[in-house]
Amino acid sequence: MKQFIFLFLFIFSCSKTQSQQNQLSAARVLEIKNFVSDKNYNKEIAIFINFKTHSGKYRYFVYDLKNDKILQRAMVSHGSGSVISQSDQLKFSNVEGSYQSSLGKYEIRESYTDKFGKSYRLQGLDSTNNNAMQRAIVLHSYDCIPNQESDQKACLSLGCPMLSKIAFDQTAKYIDQSKKQIILYAFY
């Protein structure tokens, strides 16, 4: 009986790990490793957002590029304009006033304090998100983002990736300790 329980727990933990790895594919990780390899960015940590995953599930990952492991998982919002009525699909835009999330690589810039508390400016590095500074797309926390996964969707933003306060504070430690800019990569 003990062997059966061990086997069940082993299979369950492997399937959970496999599910999390599917949310963050090796190809995406390799793409960022290659991107930062010859640039003056942090080569040890990157942040990934998989907008294909339901917003009530973990889809935000702080990733250890050196040791190939996830350091933090969290829920993250997407823009209210990204919602397609009566669909699970999302749409994305780089246009001011669209309230949509934008895909691509971002450089996490300096922090500042505003109505959301501490926030980080995001500099879009791709043609799909290069208006991020103009659009005031920033990484910040907001009370309506849950800490635990559920079947309920997370609240919506005006295009910013929003985290729970607890998740944001954990991420802030990684960002603030880094001597080089960290890349955030949002994909679908």
Side-chain angles (χ1 to χ4, degrees), residues 8 11 14-15 37 40 43 45 56-57 66-67 72 87 106 119 130 140-141 143-144 148 151 153 157 170 174 177:
F8 173 77
I11 291 170
C14 288
S15 66
S37 69
N40 196 26
K43 294 170 181 44
I45 292 176
K57 303 297 181 187
K66 290 263 188 216
N67 298 303
Q72 178 188 354
S87 174
Y106 296 86
S119 299
N130 61 5
H140 65 87
S141 66
D143 294 341
C144 64
Q148 300 297 320
D151 292 331
K153 293 180 179 178
S157 72
Q170 186 178 355
Y174 292 113
Q177 290 173 2

Side-chain angles (χ1 to χ4, degrees), residues 15-24 58 61 70 73:
S15 66
K16 186 173 182 180
T17 301
Q18 182 64 35
S19 171
Q20 291 165 351
Q21 291 302 326
N22 288 342
Q23 293 172 333
L24 184 57
Y58 295 135
F61 305 94
I70 295 170
R73 297 170 179 81

Side-chain angles (χ1 to χ4, degrees), residues 30-152:
L30 183 59
E31 183 179 350
I32 294 305
K33 284 182 178 182
N34 289 336
F35 178 77
V36 300
S37 69
D38 62 347
K39 295 175 183 65
N40 196 26
Y41 291 119
N42 186 314
K43 294 170 181 44
E44 296 178 8
I45 292 176
I47 297 173
F48 296 85
I49 299 174
N50 181 354
F51 281 124
K52 195 73 165 170
T53 301
H54 180 281
S55 67
K57 303 297 181 187
Y58 295 135
R59 63 182 188 166
Y60 172 95
F61 305 94
V62 177
Y63 193 82
D64 180 336
L65 296 169
K66 290 263 188 216
N67 298 303
D68 286 315
K69 66 179 184 177
I70 295 170
L71 301 173
Q72 178 188 354
R73 297 170 179 81
M75 271 68 65
V76 64
S77 68
H78 55 262
S80 60
S82 289
V83 175
I84 300 172
S85 181
Q86 299 180 353
S87 174
D88 289 335
Q89 301 294 310
L90 297 175
K91 58 185 176 178
F92 302 91
S93 175
N94 192 25
V95 175
E96 176 88 30
S98 69
Y99 303 129
Q100 293 179 30
S101 295
S102 298
L103 301 178
K105 294 178 285 300
Y106 296 86
E107 178 181 311
I108 301 175
R109 304 292 296 268
E110 70 280 354
S111 67
Y112 66 98
T113 303
D114 67 359
K115 65 183 177 182
F116 299 109
K118 186 174 186 173
S119 299
Y120 292 94
R121 296 186 202 288
L122 298 175
Q123 175 70 54
L125 302 175
D126 296 318
S127 61
T128 54
N129 65 2
N130 61 5
N131 291 327
M133 293 287 259
Q134 173 188 327
R135 294 178 62 203
I137 302 299
V138 300
L139 178 64
H140 65 87
S141 66
Y142 200 61
D143 294 341
C144 64
I145 305 297
N147 287 309
Q148 300 297 320
E149 288 184 303
S150 76
D151 292 331
Q152 300 296 317

Side-chain angles (χ1 to χ4, degrees), residues 72 118 141 163-174:
Q72 178 188 354
K118 186 174 186 173
S141 66
L163 302 170
S164 72
K165 178 73 171 130
I166 291 171
F168 180 85
D169 289 347
Q170 186 178 355
T171 292
K173 289 178 185 174
Y174 292 113

